[in-house]
Each structure stands twice: as structure tokens, then as C-alpha cells.
Amino acid sequence: MGFLCRDCLSVEPPENGTKCPACGSVRTAAHEELHALGIAHLDCDAFYATVEKRDNPSLKNRPVLVGGAGGRGVVTAACYVARRYGCRSAMPMFRARQLCPQAVVIPPDMAKYARVGRDVRALMLETTPLVEPISVDEAFLDLSGTERLHRGSPARTLARLARRIESEIGIDASIGLSHNKFLAKIASDAGKPRGFFVVGRAETQTFLADRPVSALWGAGRELCRRLEGDGFRRMGDLLACSEEFLVDRYGAIGSRLWRFARGEDGRRVDPVSHRKSVSAETTFSRDLAAPEELKARLWPLCEKVAARAKADGIAGAMVVLKLKGADFRIRTRRRTLPHPTQLAERLWRAGAVLLTLEADGTRFRLIGIGLSGLCPAAEADPPDLAEPDGERIKAVETAMDTLRARFGDTAISRGRRLTPSPRRPGR
Amino acid sequence: MKMTIERGALLRSLTHAQSVVERRNTIPILANVLISAQNGAVELTATDMDLAVVERVAAEVSQAGSTTVSAHTLFDIVRKLEDGAQIEIGVGAEEGQLVLRCGRSNLKLATLASEDFPVMSDDDMPHSFLVSAASLRSLIDRTRFAISTEETRYYLNGIYLHAAEGEGGKVLRAVATDGHRLARMEVPLPDGADGMPGVIVPRKTVNELRKLIDEAEGDVAVTLSDTKIRFGVEDIVLTSKLIDGTFPDYDRVIPLGNDKVLEVNRKPFERAVDLVSTISTEKSRAIKLSLNDGLLVLSATSPDAGSATEELEVDYSDGELEIGFNSRYLLDITQQILGDSAQFALADAASPTLVRDSSDASALYVLMPMRV
């Protein structure tokens, strides 16, 4: 039986019980295949809320909700204290506040989370170059074959990584360890918070059988509804079906369902980013129809998307505008730029043209903008003879970015961020 | 309607008409040519709604009238008839038919009513001037290769034609750019063009016009407004809508201060660029120019194909410089230079380069370098 103490990293198993014989800690892991598994999924716990608690220790034991505070705000992260009251992420904020009126609501500071996320990723990359980020706070790691390099099994290296994230960055993370990505992802979720959950080859089938089909990678709300309607509630229910049947019934994803239900996943941990787009969106506190008001909401989103693209060293050639009407119907409109860009100004110019075409008096509840057709930043915004202003736009934005880096994100913006006041038309 | 017309004359104007008519049309009548016969002549009109060509051809008209038939079909028929033949055209006994007789050939074509043929409105065109066909040809030839095909920047999909202040006085200037290269050509400003607005003539119009003036001598009558332009070439009138947009302020991207001057012998330079570019990758077509006093080394490497270099003795004495270009774009430019030598004015590997004909200041080209 493999043994690991997550506090002192000792692998000396106790004679009986589960306490670490070296340090007496109860945070230990024991599993037949513990030291033989190499694919991990690392996920920070209640990431945004944890970062806020780290930066304001007085919040430590209080329920914290990160998200929009307005009438239609949505919880983006709920700390584990708030979760005890039933608050969950993606829940409407008003509902979360009903459940937990004493909760501290903090508007999200995406730039800060991105910075912390980068710190976490830097520690991962010190462990292995085979890091496949999925979002700002989670990633797959492949530590197979690193035993000699790190003088210990992947499990021990991961426990050390989690310990470093806690001590050096000040946030908690959960780790799922298994023999493929799909299982590692489910495992990290199973052990939360501060978890360390192992799924070995031997118990793969039994571990999965009782999991809901919603845990299947790629199964969204619509597919889950269909699966459940067809009587497939647990992954074990899918085992009785042939692959052909699932493909016939659900299309190409059927074959993936068939393999995942058996705990098979041949995908490798791929450190190259396969991200297809960068985007940002916001839901208004009341429906908006006036082009000027919509545009004022669009600009900060352009700045947000551009900041993310710049931070990640990517650029995109296609601008996608998303609008959700008061009737919840979603419109997306896209426009390809002559060159890939990572500048907020170029995003805004294209986005504003698309928006002008759509702002026909329809009332909207949400606006979003994104970049797709991604490429490395080196290809972004080349000098262009047909755009004499291009270099100036770039210089202005670079200057604004420099100011923000020194004095904070709110140090400078453009006047178009401001909405014309309807009450004082004369001023 | 009834007339007799000589095959050669009809073929020539149908060539112009069918080239205006789009191959695929959602509006059936736009596939047709309008034939209208009056005393002593027939007028053929073809349009795609943005552009219309009207051409007068001499014919013996015994009965006036008008109709429309498929431009491509009529063109194909007339093309296959014997040269020098006389063609009899009339309306058939049945409604909606055009009858065409030539020797022992007899063809009947379906028609659509001429009343439904779209007519381009005859707006007021306040500006008019005469420009020689030769000048117009050189304005087009020197610039049209740089017209952009990018649809999002529709205002680059044509030649920007405007009056400007040139080095030696007022000029009529044509400019085109696709962002990578820019071409500017000018001729002395014709009388009457002084107050004309700057207009963007769409690519298709430019290409059709170029065909019409290919062999023309003498002057072309140009009349224009903010929204339309009309060219009168002999018996042909081409009317076109203009691109409704603002052409970029191109003056600001012309690097007149570049101080590293390279003179190359055009023919050997072209040959060397062409040879070396055979190795460069299909996508980028990149080649590197390495300059040292008196010597130019052209080189290209591709991970798949190999590498190539060629040395040329050149007139250059402004220090070492390495710069990359798209070889296709380089050749596009040098091919427009008629003199023996081309002059490059360079700044550095990242800034636009100015190219001119050493012996002719009327045209200039700007080329963006590439990273190599």
C-alpha cells in the first residue's frame, strides 16, 4: 500500500491507523497505486473568494461571495463558509443573499485573479513543463517519469506543489491524481477542498458507476437533459450500451461517452494552448436599448479582453459581439480584422460597428465581446499602410497600459466609458 | 424591332457587355443585355447595378424597338458565327422571343421585357474633364495591382482618384493600397478637374475601363459627382457607382525622409528576386535583402525546400542593412517600372521602404518590410 503524508511528505506508512508516523498529521493519503499514477488535475478552491480572503484576513471566517452585487448579479465564487448556507457559484446574487444575508459581497477583480493565477501556474511550471491550463486557476499536469528528477513519486511531487501554493501564494488547491485526464478532473472535484484524491486503475469502474452523467467531460446542460430523459442518470447506466448505439443516438460525442463511462481517455496533457477565444461579458442591472448606453458598457469589456490577451501573449483576428435580448435570445455577430489584434481600441472600433447594426431599439440584458482566431502576440497589430493612425493607436494604448501597471487598473480609461446622463441633456 | 448588323462590330461590343454581366445572378434580367434599336444604330446596355456599360454600334435599323436577351448566350452565338457575316435580328412571331438569322443559321432566344431592365439613374454630375487614354492607362496600370481585396476594408477595394498638389504643380493622382504596399501615380491635372472631389473607383470598374481603353487613342471624357463616375470612350459610355467611404490619409505613410538609398538595375534585380524566391515558402514568399556598400545579397531559406542566394552589384553606400520583403510584392512593383533602374529609399528593417523609377518621378511605391 502506497502512503504519503501531505504535510511532511513522508512516505513511511504507519503500522496501523492513518496518521503519519513521522509528524503525526492526519492529512495523509494511502492507495495501492498511489506512487504509480502520474496524471493530475490541480484546481484552486473557491479561487476568487480565497484570493479575497488572503488579501483581507478579517474575512477569513466570514461568508464571502464574489460577483456582481446589482439586481442581476451572479455569484462567480462562493467561499466554503458561504457554501454552508447553500450558496453556490453561478447562482443569482439576490438568491445567495437570501440564503446568507450576512455574506460579504465583493465585486470581482479579474486582473488580480489573473495575477494570482499566473503565480500558481509559475509554480506548476517549475514542477513540469507538461502543464495544460484549463482556466486561470486549474490545469492538468503530467508528472509521469519525473520520479528521478524530483526524487519521489508524482504523488509526492504534487503534495509538495500544493504545499508550496499554500505557503508561497496563500491559497488552497485540490489535487486529483489518476491515470488519465478525465479521471483526474473528476478526482480533484471529489476531494475538495484542500483535497488529494486518487483514482487507481483497479477501482476506475466502481468509482465512476455512481457519478452523475453531468460529470462527463463535454456533457453540457442540453446533453445531460437528453441523457437523463433517456434514463441515463449515472455513468454506470451507460455501460450497458454499445458504442454504435450511443453514436447513433447522440452523434459524435456518443463515442466519447462510451469511452469515458469506462474511464478511458487517451488525450495527452498538452501544454500548447488550444484556447479558441478570449472574451468578456456583462449583464446589465436593467435592460438597455440606447446605442450610447450599450457602447459605454462595451468599452470596459474591450479593455478587459485586451488586457487578458496581452497578459497571455495572444492576439485574435476575429471580433465577436454577443448580445442577449430581454427575451433571452442570443445574437452573435462577427467581423474579421485585417490583422490579428490585442488592442482594446481596435476591438472597440469593430465591436462598435457591429453594435450599431444591432442597436435597433431592441432591449438587451447582456453584452459581451471576444476575440477568436487566436495567434501569438508577435503577429498582432503589424504596421499597416492603409491605417496611418495605427502606430499612434498602439502608442496610446501602450502608454495607458504602463500607467495601469503602475497605478492600478482604474488609473486611466477613455471618456467613452462614461454614459451620457439622460437627466441633464443640456450639460 | 428589326435590324441588320455586322458580326465583327456586334461581337466587339458584346465582349464588353458580357464582361460586365456577372456569371451568377439572383435577378434574372441582370444576366441580359438590353438591345435597343433606333435610327441607324443599336445600343447595347449591360449592368450589374453598380456599373453599366452602354455601347453604340452602327446597324441598319428597319424597325425601332428594344428587348433583352442573355448576354452570355448571345455572345457565345455571335462568337461562333462566321467573321464578316451580316446578322439579322428581329422580334419573333411569338411573344418573348428574339430571332437571329445569319446565312442559313436560325436561332431563337428567350427574352425579358426591356421595361424591366434596370436603368442607372442619371444624376447630376457637376465635374467633367478630358484626360488622354494614355494617361488613364498609366494611372490604372501603375496602381491597380495594389488594390485590396479585403472586404471589411471596402474603402480600399478601388483606386482613389483625386486632384492634388504635386511636386511640379497640380496633378490628377491615383492611389491604391492593401496595407502591405501602396502605389501612387500622377499625371498633370486636366482642365476642369480642379474642383473634383476625391473618389474611390471600384476594382471592377477599373478593370472594365482598362479593357475599354486598351487600344483607345485620344481623350476619354470623365464626368463625376460624389457618388458616380462616367467615362466616355469613343462610342462607349461606362457609368459606375463610387465606393462610399473615406480613403486613408496616405500622405502620412509615405516615408519621404528615408536616407539609405539603393539603386538597382531593374532587369537583373527582377531576375534575381524571381530566382531566389523560388525557394521561399509559398505562404510568405519572403526574401531577405542584405545590403553592404556596393553589394546586395538576396537570399531565401525554407525548411522544406532549401536555400538560395544571389549577389548583385548595386549603387549603395549607406552602411549595412538587412531587410525582408514579400518577393511577389517586390516584383509587382518593379514590373511597373519602365526605366532601366529602380531606386529604393530605406530607413530600417521595420519601416516602410519607398521605391521609385530612377528616371520617372510620376509614380512612387511604398512597401512594408517583413520579418525574416
Side-chain angles (χ1 to χ4, degrees), chain A residues 128-202:
Chain A
T128 172
L130 288 180
V131 175
E132 179 181 330
I134 308 174
S135 73
V136 64
D137 68 324
E138 56 175 320
F140 288 112
L141 293 93
D142 185 353
L143 289 160
S144 320
T146 61
E147 287 84 355
R148 287 180 60 184
L149 175 70
H150 291 303
R151 304 212 173 94
S153 65
R156 191 162 178 266
T157 307
L158 286 162
R160 189 193 295 125
L161 172 62
R163 214 172 61 169
R164 280 186 76 189
I165 292 173
E166 284 181 23
S167 62
E168 293 177 27
I169 301 175
I171 60 166
D172 301 339
S174 292
I175 286 168
L177 178 61
S178 189
H179 53 94
N180 66 41
K181 283 161 67 169
F182 166 63
L183 291 166
K185 168 108 171 140
I186 298 185
S188 75
D189 205 41
K192 270 179 175 299
R194 270 189 104 198
F196 193 98
F197 199 95
V198 181
V199 179
R201 289 176 204 276

Side-chain angles (χ1 to χ4, degrees), chain A residues 336 338 378 383-386 388-389, chain B residues 150 152-153 179-180 248-249 252 371:
Chain A
T336 305
D384 185 334
L385 294 171
D389 271 343
Chain B
E150 195 191 300
T152 46
R153 293 198 284 185
H180 302 289
D249 182 8
R252 284 164 51 198
R371 258 186 301 240

Side-chain angles (χ1 to χ4, degrees), chain B residues 256-274:
Chain B
L256 291 172
N258 287 358
D259 55 355
K260 296 182 164 65
V261 180
L262 159 74
E263 290 250 2
V264 298
N265 237 332
R266 187 174 58 85
K267 286 232 172 74
F269 177 76
E270 260 176 22
R271 198 197 48 75
V273 169
D274 192 25

Side-chain angles (χ1 to χ4, degrees), chain B residues 142-308:
Chain B
R142 303 281 180 282
T143 54
R144 72 166 157 177
F145 68 89
I147 297 176
S148 168
T149 51
E150 195 191 300
E151 281 172 29
T152 46
R153 293 198 284 185
Y154 57 90
Y155 50 85
L156 301 179
N157 299 161
I159 289 179
Y160 180 49
L161 199 64
H162 59 298
E165 200 62 51
E167 279 162 33
K170 288 185 172 163
V171 291
L172 178 63
R173 207 177 254 176
V175 182
T177 183
D178 62 2
H180 302 289
R181 59 256 175 89
L182 178 144
R184 190 192 88 179
M185 170 70 191
E186 58 198 28
V187 298
L189 191 69
D191 285 343
D194 210 353
M196 72 174 267
V199 295
I200 308 170
V201 184
R203 180 185 34 244
K204 185 175 174 186
T205 306
V206 168
N207 291 337
E208 293 306 318
L209 173 65
R210 184 61 188 81
K211 286 179 207 160
L212 299 183
I213 61 174
D214 197 34
E215 284 162 10
E217 288 164 19
D219 286 342
V220 175
V222 183
T223 50
L224 61 98
S225 68
D226 289 328
T227 54
K228 281 192 186 135
I229 193 161
R230 173 170 294 165
F231 299 92
V233 190
E234 292 157 6
D235 289 332
I236 312 168
V237 176
L238 173 82
T239 311
S240 167
K241 289 185 187 161
L242 294 163
I243 293 176
D244 182 12
T246 309
F247 200 80
D249 182 8
Y250 64 88
D251 260 338
R252 284 164 51 198
V253 300
I254 298 179
L256 291 172
N258 287 358
D259 55 355
K260 296 182 164 65
V261 180
L262 159 74
E263 290 250 2
V264 298
N265 237 332
R266 187 174 58 85
K267 286 232 172 74
F269 177 76
E270 260 176 22
R271 198 197 48 75
V273 169
D274 192 25
L275 175 72
V276 170
S277 71
T278 321
I279 292 298
S280 65
T281 57
E282 193 58 45
K283 191 165 168 260
S284 74
R285 309 304 272 127
I287 64 164
K288 186 161 78 179
L289 277 64
S290 310
L291 279 163
N292 223 322
D293 288 358
L295 185 71
L296 166 64
V297 181
L298 295 151
S299 60
T301 49
S302 130
D304 310 323
S307 66

